[in-house]
Amino acid sequence: MAGVDCDMPMAPESEIMSEEEMEREAEGFKEQGNAFYIKKDYSEAFNFYTKAIDAFSKNASYYGNRAATLMMLNRHWEALEDAQQAVRMDDMFVKGHLREGKCHLSLGNGKAASRSFQRVLELEPDNAQAPPELKNANAVLEYERMAEIDFEKRDFRKCVFCMDRALEYAPACHRFKILKAECLALLGRYPEAQSVASDILRMDSTNGDALYVRGLCLYYEDCIEKAVQFFVQALRMAPDHEKARLACRNAKALKSKKEEGNNAFKDGNYEAAYELYSEALTIDPNNIKTNAKLYCNRGTVGSKLKKCDQAIEDCTNAIKLDETYIKAYLRRAQCYMDTEQYEEAVRDYEKVYQTEKTKEHKHLLKTAQLELKKSKRNDYYKILGVDKNATDDEIKKAYRKRALMHHPDRHSGASPEMQKEEEKKFKEVGEAFTVLSDPKKKARYDSGQDLDEEGMNMGDFDANNIFKAFFGAPGGGFSFEGNSSSGPGNFFFQFG
């Protein structure tokens, strides 16, 4: 088959520019770029420097100028590429090395920045810009070294300080920002950490480190399902991201174990729930918010199992982790009430009511205050040895027994100290009987009201008169006599 001849359009010879003409045109674009740069119109300056490079790509200064413009536009990686191209084309180009160093420094590469600034001083020993920049590069390296040590020591606050100082010299370094954000998350400063990570993701939505930090914040705020999504996404972007892998595994394990504990509790299997919550607490000591809930949950189970001291300790641990955890205060206060530690209960309910002034919390506080007030009085039920639901007959029988047991005449041969103690107990028994045998007084006593009000002055009664009235001996003809055949300490009551 015969070939086909095609007429290809050719540019007229007069339109082909010589190298000298291209360089002259490029110089014109460069001058226009310089004018816009002086006016701080960096976008237009970038456009004209690009035209200069397109017109004549053999001039290193064009790349150097565009690098300077890109730095002003915060496009540091592109600026670095142009600066490196400039010094590849002309290793004697001092401004090119200086700009390369500044790019490296802004991006947090202190070693590379130092090499560039040292090269500037080799070419131009009297250069005024290189020495302070070299000092800044060394400062970044030192802050980075200190931050690594502080992170290993878990001194996250100091690590944040070092990164803040380093970022003053390296504002475009994502690595420093991520380390700072991770430390903020570990310090519980989640909004700050999320803000840093979100800023990076706006510029680079595929940044695995930033995705990991976002997930870490959600994980520590007990939003475990959302956290797992971010960890999985981070692993898609960076399959070898060990921190994301570990955090994802912990998050899934914590969620699973906590749910198992909750289900066991709902089924009334409190022993199993207690063990499951205990296992969950060992998964990740750094997850403060979730662990606070686990401690509180275990405290609830402990109270169901009548392990009140353990329940109080668990609630206290929950509060140490999260001082704003109202549920833990309420659970601990109830445990204090159950163990008659009313002052501690009042303190917890006061804390709750100061935080959330609801009717329910006010009622709980009032109840605890009343029980505290009642606890400071003599416990008449305890003195007589009866429970709070005792019948009148039971109260009378108890009084008979205790009054005879503590009557001063029965202890006339005892030591003065013993006589004084038994006299005190005899009086308390009479006081208890006076109140609990009178329906009106008993009602006021049970409700926590003052018995001294409305003429019920408990300081005016005489225990002996109560004793006489009870045993029906108006003439006082009663005595305690020793029975020689009964042995020491045995007495019988004789009516007159």
Side-chain angles (χ1 to χ4, degrees):
M1 183 176 177
V4 178
D5 292 330
C6 294
D7 293 329
M8 300 297 294
M10 299 286 291
E13 197 169 316
S14 58
E15 290 183 18
I16 299 175
M17 296 178 66
S18 65
E19 186 170 309
E20 184 179 342
E21 289 173 324
M22 287 189 291
E23 189 172 358
R24 191 162 48 247
E25 183 182 44
E27 278 295 308
F29 291 137
K30 173 192 168 184
E31 291 303 321
Q32 287 177 284
N34 290 347
F36 282 113
Y37 189 93
I38 292 169
K39 294 177 184 177
K40 298 183 179 181
D41 188 345
Y42 301 117
S43 293
E44 279 302 306
F46 170 79
N47 291 335
F48 278 99
Y49 289 139
T50 300
K51 287 180 179 180
I53 290 169
D54 290 342
F56 189 74
S57 60
K58 298 179 182 179
N59 192 319
S61 70
Y62 300 165
Y63 289 97
N65 286 7
R66 191 168 72 173
T69 304
L70 285 165
M71 287 177 68
M72 300 307 294
L73 292 169
N74 292 318
R75 292 160 63 179
H76 298 279
W77 284 107
E78 296 171 78
L80 177 61
E81 289 176 9
D82 272 359
Q84 289 174 327
Q85 177 63 20
V87 297
R88 275 196 296 269
M89 294 172 68
D90 182 2
D91 187 50
M92 306 297 287
F93 185 26
V94 172
K95 283 186 177 180
H97 287 293
L98 193 61
R99 285 164 186 162
E100 182 186 7
K102 287 182 177 182
C103 288
H104 281 308
L105 184 57
S106 292
L107 292 166
N109 191 340
K111 287 184 180 179
S114 295
R115 287 195 296 269
S116 294
F117 297 135
Q118 286 166 351
R119 178 61 178 155
V120 170
L121 291 173
E122 289 172 9
L123 295 171
E124 196 175 279
D126 296 332
N127 187 283
Q129 292 184 59
E133 294 291 0
L134 184 58
K135 184 179 178 181
N136 292 343
N138 289 332
V140 165
L141 288 170
E142 179 61 16
Y143 283 126
E144 186 175 6
R145 184 189 69 81
M146 290 167 59
E148 288 176 2
I149 294 171
D150 293 331
F151 191 88
E152 286 298 317
K153 290 163 56 180
R154 301 186 66 80
D155 190 346
F156 303 124
R157 199 176 304 278
K158 194 173 177 184
C159 192
V160 169
F161 171 82
C162 289
M163 287 298 92
D164 278 337
R165 300 289 79 77
L167 284 164
E168 291 176 4
Y169 305 110
C173 182
H174 286 182
R175 187 163 45 86
F176 292 168
K177 289 178 181 179
I178 288 295
L179 181 57
K180 175 185 174 180
E182 185 176 1
C183 289
L184 288 170
L186 292 167
L187 287 168
R189 293 160 62 178
Y190 308 121
E192 295 172 76
Q194 291 224 44
S195 176
V196 174
S198 296
D199 285 345
I200 293 172
L201 289 170
R202 273 193 287 273
M203 292 182 280
D204 178 10
S205 62
T206 65
N207 189 296
D209 290 325
L211 289 166
Y212 158 70
V213 170
R214 280 294 307 276
L216 197 65
C217 291
L218 291 166
Y219 172 58
Y220 286 149
E221 289 185 289
D222 199 39
C223 300
I224 295 180
E225 286 189 21
K226 287 185 179 179
V228 168
Q229 293 173 8
F230 273 96
F231 293 144
V232 169
Q233 196 174 351
L235 288 167
R236 280 202 204 101
M237 299 300 117
D240 296 329
H241 201 298
E242 282 305 314
K243 287 184 177 180
R245 190 181 307 281
L246 177 62
C248 191
R249 186 165 64 243
N250 284 347
K252 289 178 177 178
L254 202 54
K255 179 175 180 289
S256 174
K257 197 65 71 174
K258 183 182 175 186
E259 286 178 353
E260 287 179 44
N262 292 346
N263 290 333
F265 180 81
K266 289 174 185 175
D267 292 341
N269 192 348
Y270 301 131
E271 291 286 356
Y274 192 91
E275 289 303 318
L276 288 163
Y277 289 139
S278 298
E279 290 173 21
L281 281 165
T282 66
I283 293 171
D284 186 0
N286 292 321
N287 195 322
I288 291 171
K289 208 153 191 174
T290 301
N291 286 343
K293 291 183 179 181
L294 288 169
Y295 272 120
C296 189
N297 287 1
R298 194 172 73 172
T300 302
V301 175
S303 68
K304 293 284 187 183
L305 295 170
K306 307 301 180 186
K307 299 178 180 179
C308 287
D309 290 340
Q310 181 64 51
I312 289 170
E313 184 180 340
D314 278 341
C315 291
T316 300
N317 285 330
I319 291 165
K320 284 179 182 176
L321 294 175
D322 184 358
E323 292 182 353
T324 66
Y325 197 7
I326 295 297
K327 189 176 178 181
Y329 282 105
L330 289 170
R331 171 55 55 196
R332 187 172 71 175
Q334 184 57 56
C335 290
Y336 282 139
M337 293 289 285
D338 293 341
T339 52
E340 299 183 0
Q341 299 180 65
Y342 299 120
E343 288 189 9
E344 290 82 355
V346 167
R347 188 162 56 245
D348 277 354
Y349 283 133
E350 283 177 341
K351 172 74 174 178
V352 170
Y353 187 62
Q354 287 169 3
T355 306
E356 293 182 359
K357 289 183 168 59
T358 67
K359 288 182 179 179
E360 181 187 358
H361 294 160
K362 185 177 182 180
H363 173 70
L364 290 169
L365 175 58
K366 291 290 184 184
T367 301
Q369 289 171 333
L370 176 60
E371 291 302 321
L372 174 61
K373 181 180 177 182
K374 288 163 67 175
S375 72
K376 291 182 181 297
R377 309 171 306 176
N378 283 334
D379 187 341
Y380 293 146
Y381 293 101
K382 188 175 181 180
I383 289 169
L384 290 182
V386 297
D387 64 38
K388 294 182 180 180
N389 298 315
T391 64
D392 290 344
D393 284 343
E394 288 171 333
I395 290 170
K396 287 177 182 178
K397 286 178 183 178
Y399 172 68
R400 177 187 293 275
K401 178 181 176 182
R402 302 268 171 160
L404 292 173
M405 184 187 300
H406 299 298
H407 195 285
D409 286 354
R410 183 174 185 178
H411 302 279
S412 58
S415 66
E417 292 80 9
M418 178 65 76
Q419 287 183 26
K420 188 174 181 180
E421 179 65 24
E422 291 299 328
E423 186 178 349
K424 178 186 175 186
K425 289 181 179 178
F426 179 69
K427 183 178 179 181
E428 287 177 347
V429 167
E431 184 178 321
F433 179 69
T434 300
V435 173
L436 299 184
S437 63
D438 184 312
K440 186 176 181 182
K441 290 179 182 178
K442 183 176 183 295
R444 290 181 65 81
Y445 174 78
D446 288 343
S447 66
Q449 298 180 59
D450 291 328
L451 297 173
D452 288 343
E453 295 176 9
E454 299 182 11
M456 297 181 185
N457 192 334
M458 297 309 298
D460 294 340
F461 84 98
D462 187 325
N464 284 309
N465 289 338
I466 297 166
F467 185 87
K468 292 173 186 178
F470 183 84
F471 286 101
F478 59 88
S479 65
F480 285 85
E481 295 180 358
N483 184 342
S484 58
S485 64
S486 303
N490 292 317
F491 299 86
F492 68 94
F493 185 76
Q494 178 180 327
F495 290 95

